[in-house]
Amino acid sequence: MKKYLLEGKRFDGRGLEEYRDLIIEKNVSVKAEGSVKVTLGKTQVVAGVKMSVVEPYGDSPTKGNLMVTAELSPLSSRRFEAGPPRFNAIELGRVTDRGLRESGFIDFDKLCIKEGEKVWNIFVDIYSLNDDGNLMDAATIAAIAALKIAKIPEYDEKTDKINYEKLTDKNIPLTDHVPIAVSVHKLGKSLIVDPTREEEDVSEARVTIGSSNGTISSLQKSNSAGIPIEEMKKIFEISTKISKEIFEKLEKSIK
């Protein structure tokens, strides 16, 4: 595979910096405030947004909260097992959370209902349906899309009750800082994006960069191989280019 990549070829016919077909389906869950199914080649994930009203944290009395979880279903791969989340699921949730949180994508101040007493809490749940590589990027795309289409449910401050059966026309307060995540993998002397499961299995290093308009909000390196400075510069260039392409596809799908 590494020898083939040196010739600029991949087994599925794509270029080294070419993504698989991306499909985003909206409103796939009747119970979520916003939900999408993302298909990236044969990789499929679902992301759902749920909201609740809670007491804010003591150090941020005017800010809402965010919690991202990921569940890697045994149905999506023989490699995943039922039970407590393992490292891959924890990493997937945390990297997605970090990109959303640190980018400023969510305006947490506007999620405040009553200072020091009540704020909106946003849950983003990610579920794998099929793992054919690059769950990391697919999960982030799904989380962003679900947040973009989510509607805030009706809330009665007097009774402190949420009517989940009736959504308002209000969207979750978001900014223009959309943290598209792009994972670049190192295989020998080659750098590729959107690996299949076979390519991911022989990847020596992965760098996932969450960025918006060239501004980096999160970065995660996985696997053991070191990355020279010149290769790292190339990874940043690839990530910036691909993130713009994904952003355009995401916006088009949502509209």
Side-chain angles (χ1 to χ4, degrees):
M1 185 178 290
K2 293 175 183 176
K3 184 178 178 180
Y4 207 56
L5 288 172
L6 286 175
E7 300 176 14
K9 303 174 183 178
R10 298 170 78 168
F11 290 165
D12 58 8
R14 286 183 293 148
L16 273 60
E17 299 176 15
E18 185 179 350
Y19 250 62
R20 291 171 289 181
D21 290 338
L22 173 63
I23 301 172
I24 301 175
E25 301 172 58
K26 299 184 290 184
N27 302 317
V28 297
S29 170
V30 296
K31 293 294 184 180
E33 278 73 88
S35 62
V36 299
K37 174 184 174 184
V38 166
T39 301
L40 190 55
K42 294 180 181 179
T43 293
Q44 294 182 325
V45 300
V46 166
V49 173
K50 291 295 294 181
M51 301 185 71
S52 64
V53 174
V54 299
E55 184 178 332
Y57 292 116
D59 60 349
S60 52
T62 63
K63 295 181 182 294
N65 304 324
L66 170 69
M67 181 178 293
V68 180
T69 62
E71 182 175 330
L72 302 181
S73 168
L75 290 174
S76 63
S77 173
R78 295 180 179 178
R79 303 173 187 222
F80 304 146
E81 299 178 1
R86 289 165 171 73
F87 176 80
N88 288 346
I90 294 172
E91 182 187 37
L92 185 62
R94 288 184 177 177
V95 173
T96 303
D97 183 295
R98 191 186 311 146
L100 296 173
R101 190 184 303 275
E102 299 302 328
S103 62
F105 179 52
I106 301 172
D107 190 338
F108 289 105
D109 286 315
K110 291 183 179 179
L111 291 172
C112 180
I113 299 171
K114 189 173 183 180
E115 183 176 344
E117 295 185 22
K118 295 177 183 179
V119 296
W120 284 106
N121 187 56
I122 300 174
F123 294 95
V124 178
D125 297 320
I126 300 164
Y127 302 91
S128 63
L129 299 180
N130 191 58
D131 176 22
D132 188 39
N134 202 20
L135 281 174
M136 186 69 74
D137 291 11
T140 304
I141 294 169
I144 291 170
L147 285 166
K148 273 181 166 287
I149 67 171
K151 299 292 184 181
I152 298 175
E154 190 176 82
Y155 172 64
D156 189 329
E157 287 192 56
K158 293 182 179 179
T159 61
D160 193 28
K161 290 188 177 181
I162 300 174
N163 183 2
Y164 287 106
E165 301 301 320
K166 188 174 182 180
L167 301 180
T168 68
D169 59 356
K170 297 179 181 178
N171 295 91
I172 292 175
L174 305 175
T175 70
D176 294 330
H177 304 295
V178 185
I180 301 295
V182 175
S183 297
V184 181
H185 288 250
K186 174 179 169 64
L187 285 78
K189 297 181 179 180
S190 302
L191 298 173
I192 67 169
V193 298
D194 189 24
T196 61
R197 167 45 58 194
E198 289 78 9
E199 291 171 332
E200 213 166 51
D201 281 343
V202 295
S203 170
E204 298 170 13
R206 182 195 75 210
V207 178
T208 301
I209 301 174
S211 64
S212 173
N213 299 319
T215 300
I216 296 173
S217 58
S218 63
L219 189 149
Q220 176 87 352
K221 179 187 178 295
S222 301
N223 301 337
S224 59
I227 301 176
I229 292 297
E230 290 306 312
E231 278 192 354
M232 199 65 201
K233 291 179 181 178
K234 180 64 175 177
I235 287 173
F236 284 128
E237 292 174 4
I238 294 172
S239 173
T240 299
K241 182 185 77 170
I242 299 298
S243 66
K244 292 179 181 178
E245 296 175 4
I246 296 175
F247 175 77
E248 292 174 359
K249 291 180 181 178
L250 187 151
E251 289 293 298
K252 184 177 180 181
S253 296
I254 290 176
K255 291 178 181 178

